[in-house]
Amino acid sequence: MKKFVVYGAGEFADIVSDLIERVLQYTVEAYILDDEYINAVNKYNGKEVVPASMIKEKFSPLEYDVAIGFIGKDMFNSRKRVFDLLKCYGYKIDNLIHPSAIISTSNIGDGNIILENCVIGYNVKFGNGNIMWPLSSANHHNIVGNFNNFAPGASTSGGVIIGNHCFLGNNSTYNNKVTVSDYTFVGAGAYIAKNTESYGVYVPEKSIKINKTADEFY
């Protein structure tokens, strides 16, 4: 049986741990945090919390796999930093794929976390360290780079290129063959009809409250 340590502690670490243990039936042995975040408790979910400087000493890459259990709010640069560090140490960073996901390609990198009812379509090239939240999809002939976050319900059309370190908001949609450039942030409900600019932020018009009450409608 595979044994994992999870790098991170918090809500996303809980989701990753649940996927590892309850769904995939592996074990989580401990949690890893950057040294500056270690506190006096040194326990998370009843398991040991180990400083990152001791990871190789305590958990040999020959015996343990590592899952990255944090998202990173710096457009996922910190995920890349940890991914590269773990690879340098010799750890295997498996893809963690919920069994309800539909995967129609074998061209997938390492360290992707793919949650419930996601779709990766035919002839998709899918990189490293991506997160796909429930009901998101990368459809046929997409090229998806590294360290992107597909929020719930984000859906691409055919031939879309997603760069690196992009955030695709809840229920955002993408026209055929558009390119989403590196470090693009797309807000919830947006429709991307044309190529984006690197570091661009794309949001739809906001919902407004009108001068009627709900029972006048329903």
Side-chain angles (χ1 to χ4, degrees):
M1 177 180 289
K2 289 184 181 180
K3 297 185 294 184
F4 282 83
V5 290
V6 173
Y7 202 117
E11 290 183 354
F12 191 63
D14 294 343
I15 291 168
V16 170
S17 299
D18 180 69
L19 178 59
I20 292 169
E21 293 195 308
R22 182 181 62 83
V23 179
L24 300 177
Q25 299 290 297
Y26 302 138
T27 61
V28 172
E29 300 289 330
Y31 294 88
I32 309 298
L33 287 177
D34 291 344
D35 289 30
E36 61 265 34
Y37 297 120
I38 294 292
N39 56 39
V41 178
N42 289 334
K43 290 283 185 180
Y44 188 75
N45 288 340
K47 298 177 181 179
E48 185 179 14
V49 177
V50 175
S53 60
M54 296 179 62
I55 184 173
K56 282 190 72 177
E57 176 185 335
K58 298 207 60 147
F59 304 104
S60 167
L62 299 177
E63 299 179 32
Y64 294 88
D65 290 349
V66 182
I68 300 177
F70 67 92
I71 297 171
K73 294 184 178 179
D74 52 356
M75 291 302 286
F76 323 117
N77 286 325
S78 54
R79 284 181 65 79
K80 183 180 187 303
R81 174 185 62 81
V82 169
F83 181 94
D84 290 345
L85 178 67
L86 294 172
K87 283 287 191 180
C88 183
Y89 285 168
Y91 285 99
K92 184 177 182 182
I93 309 177
D94 277 341
N95 295 314
L96 298 176
I97 302 175
H98 194 281
S100 65
I102 299 172
I103 312 295
S104 300
T105 183
S106 59
N107 196 346
I108 300 181
D110 299 324
N112 298 291
I113 297 173
I114 301 170
L115 299 174
E116 296 93 331
N117 299 302
C118 292
V119 174
I120 299 179
Y122 172 76
N123 203 27
V124 171
K125 297 178 181 178
F126 203 83
N128 301 317
N130 298 292
I131 301 170
M132 293 190 77
W133 292 88
L135 299 171
S136 61
S137 61
N139 286 291
H140 68 91
H141 297 91
N142 279 197
I143 298 174
V144 178
N146 308 310
F147 307 105
N148 299 294
N149 188 316
F150 288 68
S155 179
T156 63
S157 300
V160 171
I161 298 173
I162 306 292
N164 305 305
H165 297 266
C166 297
F167 180 88
L168 282 58
N170 293 54
N171 295 312
S172 57
T173 54
Y174 302 79
N175 196 18
N176 288 304
K177 299 184 178 180
V178 299
T179 295
V180 180
S181 299
D182 296 349
Y183 292 95
T184 294
F185 183 99
V186 180
Y191 174 61
I192 302 302
K194 298 180 180 179
N195 297 348
T196 71
E197 298 177 4
S198 293
Y199 292 92
V201 177
Y202 298 81
V203 296
E205 294 290 338
K206 300 295 184 182
S207 297
I208 61 170
K209 179 180 179 294
I210 65 172
N211 191 26
K212 289 183 180 293
T213 59
D215 56 3
E216 293 180 72
F217 284 91
Y218 191 81

